[in-house]
Amino acid sequence: GTIADKYDVAISTACGALNNIVVENTATAQACCDLLRKTNAGVATFLILEKQRSLKIADKSAFPKPRLFDLVNSSDDKFLPAFYFALRDTLVADTLDEATKLAYSKERRFRVVTLEGALIDTSGTMSGGGNKVARGAMSRQGTGSGESALSPKDLQALEKALAQSSDELTAVRTKIQSLERMVVTWEKEAEGLETDASKLALEMTALSKECEELTANMSIYEAEAKVSPTDMAKIKELEGVVGTNEKALAKAKTKSDALEAKCKDLQQQIMDAGGAKLKMQRTKVEGMQKALEEASDGISKAKVGIKAAHKAVDKAEAAAAAAEEEVKAAKEAMEKAKKDFVGVESAALVVMEAYQKAQEAQAGKQAQLKAIEGDFEKAKKAAGKLRADQVDLEERAGDAAKSLKEVDCKVKEWEGQWAAHKAEYDKDEFIVALDNEEEEQAAAAAAAEAGEGK
């Protein structure tokens, strides 16, 4: 369908369903959903024509202003129920004052949108303002014949471009997921290597102390007494233990150096691949939380200001009505004075004085009326500005909440991947072999201590 350029902003604002995809029946909609799910191409909303044909379209003569539905030029009448489902009986007004009168009418309330994009719903809520307005949601002023402006060749080219873009999007998403999995894997490996390096450093320290103690004890034994054959045998045994421990120490040192180098390399890869991104995400979450709190405070202040402005507007309107009544009474008194002047010449002086007083009273009341009208316009502008600020703050709060929700979902996804890779890491054969070797070294050290006690 198409619509005149004049109503582009109005229909883009009032019809949020213009991005829905129209299909003939439920089976077609289900097939489209399956295709989107299969190709991972995103989500879409489908409007089923066979479900909308039961809608009763009201006659346009029953409305005081044109409906957006009546201004749409459909390429085929079979699509009219879809347009009516999306637009219903939304009226179009030139100005906000005209829209307000229509929307809050005592006889019947209407959903009204202005040409500038302000929308008043039947519930009484008003939306609009902001720095930008919605445009381009519907094609504007088509061929006039009801046929599509695109040729079959153009449609084929667009379909080909769409398929190519869809493939590229799928490839990019796959690559992003692969990189995210690599980041999680590298993080887990780095944590494991750091833990292993700490364990090996502690073992190296313990072995060094043990070696020093054994060397010191051997010197003491030599100084105290002559070495007996039994002691000589024990010394040789101890020397063998020292040699074994020194070899184990050298081997552990080699492994520690290799693991420490690998740990540094993995840490650098983590920082290159995802470290900065993770820090950025945390900073972004904190910023969005702060922006959400500020937006909520701003909304509360704006609501209080709007209530005060409404009270001022009501007061100004009452004062204006009273002033108009007084001016009307003064005019009637002046007209009566004129008739008395014509009818009774003897009272001319009195009538002239009364006439002059009436003119002075009228001038005073008119000046008062102008002042009240000026206050009314100021209050009206302030109320409009507060409404615009409220809508802008609500939009900012919604965007911040949405971004925060997306970040929370991402964090949960990464935590799940972290748990899965941790399970794989615990089953790694290299780590199991390293743990077994650590247990053997601990058993050897315990046996050496037991021999020394004897």
Side-chain angles (χ1 to χ4, degrees):
T2 60
I3 198 168
D5 291 346
K6 178 180 178 181
Y7 306 104
D8 180 26
V9 174
I11 197 166
S12 298
T13 302
C15 188
L18 284 177
N19 291 326
N20 293 358
I21 300 174
V22 180
V23 295
E24 188 66 31
N25 49 49
T26 305
T28 304
Q30 185 62 46
C32 293
C33 291
D34 294 339
L35 178 62
L36 290 176
R37 190 181 300 107
K38 181 179 179 181
T39 59
N40 196 24
V43 297
T45 302
F46 298 93
L47 201 158
I48 303 172
L49 279 179
E50 69 177 5
K51 300 294 184 180
Q52 312 304 326
R53 292 196 177 100
S54 61
L55 290 176
K56 294 182 179 180
I57 302 176
D59 191 272
K60 63 181 179 181
S61 61
F63 301 94
K65 278 289 183 178
R67 296 180 299 180
L68 275 175
F69 170 76
D70 298 320
L71 299 172
V72 173
N73 299 316
S74 177
S75 59
D76 194 328
D77 289 344
K78 72 177 183 179
F79 298 118
L80 290 177
F83 284 115
Y84 188 75
F85 169 82
L87 296 169
R88 298 290 175 166
D89 297 324
T90 303
L91 305 183
V92 185
D94 295 332
T95 63
L96 183 59
D97 290 339
E98 185 180 6
T100 303
K101 292 178 181 179
L102 291 170
Y104 303 125
S105 174
K106 294 182 179 180
E107 292 77 15
R108 178 183 175 185
R109 286 197 170 191
F110 295 97
R111 186 172 186 261
V112 188
V113 64
T114 66
L115 297 179
E116 291 78 19
L119 178 65
I120 305 176
D121 213 325
T122 53
S123 62
T125 60
M126 178 185 296
S127 61
N131 298 326
K132 295 182 180 180
V133 294
R135 295 180 183 273
M138 175 177 279
S139 300
R140 290 172 283 177
Q141 209 61 51
T143 59
S145 62
E147 297 179 357
S148 175
L150 295 175
S151 65
K153 185 177 180 181
D154 293 335
L155 289 174
Q156 291 179 357
L158 289 174
E159 290 176 354
K160 183 177 180 181
L162 176 61
Q164 183 178 358
S165 300
S166 178
D167 293 340
E168 293 176 354
L169 178 61
T170 302
V172 170
R173 287 176 174 172
T174 303
K175 186 175 181 180
I176 290 174
Q177 293 175 356
S178 176
L179 291 174
E180 289 174 348
R181 288 194 295 268
M182 290 174 63
V183 168
V184 175
T185 302
W186 289 341
E187 287 177 349
K188 291 306 301 174
E189 290 182 357
E191 292 177 0
L193 290 173
E194 289 175 355
T195 302
D196 294 340
S198 300
K199 290 180 180 179
L200 290 173
L202 293 175
E203 291 178 2
M204 287 170 58
T205 303
L207 291 173
S208 298
K209 289 181 178 180
E210 186 177 355
C211 182
E212 292 175 357
E213 291 175 357
L214 291 173
T215 304
N217 290 335
M218 186 171 60
S219 300
I220 292 172
Y221 295 150
E222 290 177 350
E224 286 181 351
K226 186 178 179 181
V227 179
S228 64
T230 304
D231 292 334
M232 182 62 70
K234 187 176 181 180
I235 288 172
K236 291 181 179 180
E237 181 182 357
L238 291 174
E239 287 177 348
V241 172
V242 170
T244 301
N245 288 335
E246 286 178 347
K247 292 179 180 179
L249 177 62
K251 185 177 180 181
K253 182 66 169 61
T254 303
K255 289 183 179 181
S256 175
D257 293 340
L259 289 172
E260 185 176 358
K262 187 176 181 181
C263 180
K264 291 181 179 180
D265 182 58
L266 288 174
Q267 286 178 339
Q268 184 62 38
Q269 292 179 12
I270 289 170
M271 293 301 296
D272 294 339
K277 181 178 178 182
L278 294 175
K279 291 180 181 178
M280 187 181 298
Q281 289 295 334
R282 293 193 186 98
T283 304
K284 188 175 181 182
V285 169
E286 294 173 356
M288 283 188 281
Q289 288 177 339
K290 184 177 180 182
L292 184 59
E293 294 174 357
E294 293 176 354
S296 299
D297 294 339
I299 289 173
S300 300
K301 293 179 181 178
K303 288 181 178 178
V304 173
I306 288 173
K307 290 181 179 178
H310 278 307
K311 291 181 180 178
V313 169
D314 295 338
K315 186 177 180 181
E317 288 178 346
E324 288 178 353
E325 291 295 330
E326 292 179 2
V327 170
K328 184 178 179 180
K331 287 183 179 179
E332 292 175 355
M334 184 179 65
E335 293 296 328
K336 184 177 179 181
K338 285 183 180 179
K339 292 179 181 179
D340 293 339
F341 177 78
V342 175
V344 186
E345 292 182 350
S346 59
L349 181 59
V350 177
V351 172
M352 182 61 68
E353 291 176 354
Y355 175 73
Q356 290 177 352
K357 290 181 180 180
Q359 282 188 329
E360 291 174 358
Q362 180 183 5
K365 296 300 180 183
Q366 287 180 342
Q368 185 179 359
L369 177 61
K370 288 182 179 179
I372 292 173
E373 289 177 347
D375 294 338
F376 174 76
E377 290 298 325
K378 290 179 181 178
K380 187 176 178 181
K381 290 180 180 178
K385 186 176 183 301
L386 288 172
R387 290 192 191 100
D389 292 340
Q390 180 185 6
V391 173
D392 191 43
L393 288 171
E394 289 176 346
E395 291 177 352
R396 288 173 55 192
D399 293 340
K402 183 178 179 181
S403 299
L404 182 60
K405 184 176 180 181
E406 292 176 353
V407 171
D408 288 339
C409 292
K410 202 67 177 178
V411 170
K412 290 180 180 178
E413 180 183 353
W414 286 346
E415 287 177 350
Q417 293 179 359
W418 177 84
H421 286 294
K422 183 177 184 301
E424 294 179 0
Y425 173 82
D426 293 337
K427 298 178 181 178
D428 190 275
E429 296 181 356
F430 171 77
I431 301 300
V432 173
L434 184 60
D435 291 339
N436 293 335
E437 185 176 354
E438 291 175 355
E439 292 176 358
E440 292 175 0
Q441 292 176 357
E449 290 178 356
E452 180 182 352
K454 292 180 180 179

